[in-house]
Amino acid sequence: MKQYIVDAFTDKLFRGNPAAVCVMDAFPEDKLMQSIAAENNLSETAFLVREGEVYHLRWFTPKGEIDFCGHATLASAFVLFSIYDHNIDKIVFETARGRLEAKRAGDLIEMDFPAYRLEHFEVSTDMISALGAIPFAAYRDRDIMFVFRDEDDVRHLKPDYERLSWLECDCVAVTAKGKEYDCVSRVFAPKYGIPEDPVTGSAHCMIAPYWSKRLNKEKITAYQASQRTGVLQCEVCGDRVKISGKAVLYSEADIQI
């Protein structure tokens, strides 16, 4: 089984978000895919199987399968474009979230994702304790997003990961209006064994629509202020979000199974 490690949402090694991409003829048992993801110990390992002109795509964290991942989709598209399908300009993925598309866009790869809802809710004292700070607004869908007034609040946040894992969501995103970029964010997923995710494409299906509306801009440049950092180019198109980024290959290996 071929496996590639790709740093997504960056053009520099050791930045962005590393994802493993496994290319195979057929999906093995879920238990084996979960073991591979746990062995990799990256935020996501993507598994790809081609069927005609479509690639079936699944994503596993070290602790379980998830229904949607942006950076591992970017990593998968990068591997297919650069190694397997040099002459094509668009890839269609069949996923648990339905059909997703990725296409070449100059030196970027552009992905077309469904936008998340922005269901407003009141912040509880448990949430404040988990965050270690008080946001001024909160929204939920699959993930929870907390909005802060200043990007320094986001950059310096020191949450309690155990308390965050108790919240009823997959990921916890925190965001604020940026100074150099349109918005700044960080994302945490301790429930899946990921204290802080370096760069999170899926969370920007929520972050981008929020800032697009607030800033009255269809296109925004988003910065994820993790230790590795990453930049996402986002365009909100109704109930869809186009998220673009770069990627770079770190390694190529054969899994001995």
Side-chain angles (χ1 to χ4, degrees):
M1 184 189 302
K2 296 295 295 187
Q3 176 172 276
Y4 307 86
I5 306 295
V6 176
D7 290 340
F9 292 114
T10 183
D11 59 356
K12 296 180 177 63
L13 284 175
F14 315 119
R15 297 289 182 92
N17 200 351
V21 179
C22 296
V23 183
M24 59 196 70
D25 295 327
F27 289 117
E29 293 183 358
D30 288 5
K31 183 178 180 181
L32 176 57
M33 290 189 285
Q34 185 59 68
S35 295
I36 293 170
E39 183 80 6
N40 287 332
N41 200 32
L42 299 172
S43 56
E44 264 85 21
T45 296
F47 296 90
L48 285 167
V49 172
R50 183 169 186 169
E51 183 179 11
E53 300 303 314
V54 174
Y55 283 91
H56 293 269
L57 173 59
R58 295 173 68 181
W59 307 276
F60 284 76
T61 76
K63 288 191 174 181
E65 186 174 9
I66 58 171
D67 67 349
F68 182 36
C69 174
H71 86 278
T73 302
L74 174 57
S76 297
F78 173 82
V79 167
L80 295 178
F81 281 137
S82 60
I83 299 173
Y84 286 84
D85 285 312
H86 300 280
N87 299 321
I88 63 172
D89 293 320
K90 184 176 78 170
I91 296 169
V92 177
F93 295 110
E94 193 70 53
T95 77
R97 280 279 173 134
R99 287 201 164 188
L100 307 176
E101 294 184 358
K103 68 178 184 179
R104 300 180 193 267
D107 61 348
L108 301 175
I109 294 174
E110 178 187 277
M111 300 169 291
D112 185 353
F113 294 150
Y116 282 14
R117 295 173 297 121
L118 290 169
E119 179 187 340
H120 182 266
F121 69 96
E122 296 300 318
V123 179
S124 69
T125 55
D126 287 342
M127 291 175 179
I128 293 171
S129 296
L131 291 169
I134 302 175
F136 82 84
Y139 300 86
R140 70 165 75 245
D141 192 325
R142 185 197 75 168
D143 303 335
I144 289 178
M145 181 179 74
F146 296 102
V147 184
F148 287 84
R149 297 189 184 278
D150 190 276
E151 75 168 72
D152 287 339
D153 295 333
V154 170
R155 290 178 180 272
H156 300 148
L157 194 72
K158 296 180 179 179
D160 183 321
Y161 296 130
E162 183 178 359
R163 288 179 180 270
L164 284 183
S165 70
W166 300 344
L167 301 183
E168 294 182 4
C169 61
D170 281 5
C171 299
V172 177
V174 295
T175 187
K177 186 177 183 297
K179 298 169 186 174
E180 182 181 355
Y181 300 89
D182 290 312
C183 64
V184 171
S185 68
R186 291 170 66 193
V187 178
F188 312 96
K191 183 179 295 185
Y192 288 101
I194 309 160
E196 180 166 1
D197 196 37
V199 195
T200 317
S202 60
H204 282 79
C205 293
M206 196 171 192
I207 293 168
Y210 175 83
W211 288 113
S212 174
K213 184 175 181 180
R214 293 279 295 188
L215 301 175
N216 195 28
K217 297 172 64 175
E218 289 183 353
K219 295 182 178 181
I220 66 169
T221 301
Y223 179 79
Q224 196 152 327
S226 64
Q227 184 176 358
R228 292 176 63 101
T229 73
V231 176
L232 309 89
Q233 303 295 335
C234 307
E235 181 179 2
V236 178
C237 306
D239 63 354
R240 309 291 296 183
V241 181
K242 294 180 180 179
I243 299 178
S244 303
K246 297 180 179 181
V248 59
L249 181 66
Y250 170 65
S251 69
E252 178 180 341
D254 291 299
I255 298 179
Q256 302 300 310
I257 295 175

